[in-house]
Amino acid sequence: MGEILLPLLILSPLAASLVVFVSAGRLSACAVGTLACTGVGMSAVISVILSVMLLSGPATGTLQVMLWPWIHIAGFSADIAFMLDRISVVMILVVTIVGLLIHIYAVSYMHDDPGIARFFGSMTLFIASMLVLVLASDLLCLFIGWEGVGLCSYLLIGFWYDTPANTAAARKAFYMTRMGDAALLCGLLLLATAAGSLHIGTVLAAVANGQVALSAVNMAALFILIGALAKSAQIPFQTWLPDAMAGPTPTSALIHAATMVTAGVYLIARLHDLFVMAVPVMALMAVLGALTLLMGACTALVQSDLKRILAWSTISQLGYMFLALGCGAWQAALFHLMTHAFFKALLFLTAGAVIVRTHHEQDIFRLGGLRHAMPGLAAAFITGASALAGVPLVTAGFYSKEMILSGVWAAHFRLTHEWTLSGHVLWGIGLLGAFLSALYIFRCVFIVFFGKSGTTATGRTSRLMTIPLSCLCVLSLCGGIIEMPMTFPPLHLFSALLDPTLPPSHADEPGWLVLVGAIVPLAGLGVAWVLWGRPSPIMREIPGQAAVIRFARTGGGMDVVYDHLFVQPFRFLTWLTRHDILDHAITGTGRLTQAVSTSVLRSRTGFLDILTLGGRRGIRSADHLLGQIHNGRVRWYAAWIVGGLCAGLAMAVLA
């Protein structure tokens, strides 16, 4: 039965996508939304069935299905095959369930849009591509899904293509992620050369048995890391994600919560045995994750656009996941991936409902006092904000962040015999990021829902939008209790789900770590209330005169760097190509050469004509002179003889 359900899991949204695309303009908006939700809903049901089947079997059991052989040549093979194990179970449940809730929400959100068929066709194709990515048992097959989500993100970000800024944002996301995809492909080719196959099990076994040289392992891990960093918008590829807000809000929720941006996290977690062998790459990953979470939090703190605040928040939370992966706590990274999908989808969808009811106003300083006009949305946003901040005990984000921080505390990197990098410094950065997360998200809460009244809200939130928000509220609050800290009651269902044979990754954490991790978010919430939440807040907008604030608002100036390093040179080359400067140069050189040749030819012809004419005249003159001399008169001849004799004697005498 599993051999049928596993391909059907991908086929359901794929078939829905094809039908929606083919029938575009022929079906009503309700029919299109129903068809798309049915396809994704079938995948969600199949995901639950397959998960129960897998988890009820042996601890190390997997379900593998090969659809057809793809490439079989000397020294290399690749197949179109899928594998369901405990890691992919987590991913398919997150992708399909959260994706279904977003689709239900989008039926109401996009109901009046004329391009609704194109929207839902791209959305369901996105889900299908993501399922190919997480279920592929061969890295080359995984790369197909990897490229599929990149293509769909381009279509969805630039959905409203009539606005030039939207198409520019779509191109930016496409180009940035393509750079990472090129690096990922290099890493895969390197592994294929060394291991003779790209089947995940074969590659990991070859690395573990020492069949792949350590230098090749390090280079392949570095290339794969670059691909993951670009897909997950980490330093230095973070600039595309905030601009991706140009797409519809359900697109932002899908891309930023459960699918595309988490693909890099999943890939590294899937290949964690490979990265364990590449210690320098692990250290680099942890450092980049720590810097990204700090940079993303600082940038979110000074933004004024509601959706861009959430976008920079996504970058920061992904930094937490890469920090955990770099420290070897891949279980904690996947746990935070799951809880982040719940509360970030909740925040985006709630923000979309707020924006619709406030006439598409996104500036938080023009909103305010909305808790009276929309108490339900205020409660939903506060729930998501609390989970994002990691409010202790009552939110899912607290448990996943605590698991990450405990894993980072115990990490150390032995880079050389003399130099060891301790995880304590990275733990401190992660703790600071937790404080800033509570600060920036509750800044947003207090200004938008408790601040001075601004834009007037109208209308009501439809039931199709309310049901997904209610489900996500429950998941954001209760989705983390399946993995408790060691100082709490011994409940470690998530760790047991991923690998029952291993102890929890936070088994040796000191008790005070949990206490500190609980106090810091509360401290951030308290500071946010003092600054923005009181009846007479200390500040409204963070002053932008300081250079560091302006620097943070621009996202660290990376757009300027990329503009000078890549965009302007590329535009110059495009200008050269458009005006065909090289052809003009070659044509001009040819014309100049032709003109010089013509001038030389004319000069030579004129000189020869003058020389010929002068010679002819000289010959005529000499002939005439000779004719005068030879006239046949004897006395003239005698005179010439006497004259010549005199001249000869004179010369002889003078000599």
Side-chain angles (χ1 to χ4, degrees), residues 37 230 570:
C37 290
F570 182 78

PDB file of all heavy atoms in Angstrom, residues 37 230 570:
ATOM      1  N   CYS A  37      -7.389  23.072  -3.121  1.00  0.00           N
ATOM      2  CA  CYS A  37      -7.438  22.589  -1.732  1.00  0.00           C
ATOM      3  C   CYS A  37      -7.659  21.085  -1.673  1.00  0.00           C
ATOM      4  O   CYS A  37      -7.131  20.411  -0.774  1.00  0.00           O
ATOM      5  CB  CYS A  37      -8.556  23.314  -0.979  1.00  0.00           C
ATOM      6  SG  CYS A  37      -8.229  25.064  -0.672  1.00  0.00           S
ATOM      7  N   ALA A 230      21.945  30.260   0.136  1.00  0.00           N
ATOM      8  CA  ALA A 230      21.207  31.072  -0.838  1.00  0.00           C
ATOM      9  C   ALA A 230      19.716  30.764  -0.793  1.00  0.00           C
ATOM     10  O   ALA A 230      18.877  31.672  -0.824  1.00  0.00           O
ATOM     11  CB  ALA A 230      21.766  30.833  -2.242  1.00  0.00           C
ATOM     12  N   PHE A 570      26.919  44.118 -14.884  1.00  0.00           N
ATOM     13  CA  PHE A 570      26.035  43.378 -15.778  1.00  0.00           C
ATOM     14  C   PHE A 570      25.242  44.334 -16.673  1.00  0.00           C
ATOM     15  O   PHE A 570      25.052  44.075 -17.870  1.00  0.00           O
ATOM     16  CB  PHE A 570      25.090  42.506 -14.954  1.00  0.00           C
ATOM     17  CG  PHE A 570      24.168  41.667 -15.779  1.00  0.00           C
ATOM     18  CD1 PHE A 570      24.613  40.506 -16.394  1.00  0.00           C
ATOM     19  CD2 PHE A 570      22.842  42.042 -15.948  1.00  0.00           C
ATOM     20  CE1 PHE A 570      23.754  39.733 -17.152  1.00  0.00           C
ATOM     21  CE2 PHE A 570      21.984  41.276 -16.709  1.00  0.00           C
ATOM     22  CZ  PHE A 570      22.440  40.113 -17.312  1.00  0.00           C
TER      23      PHE A 570
END
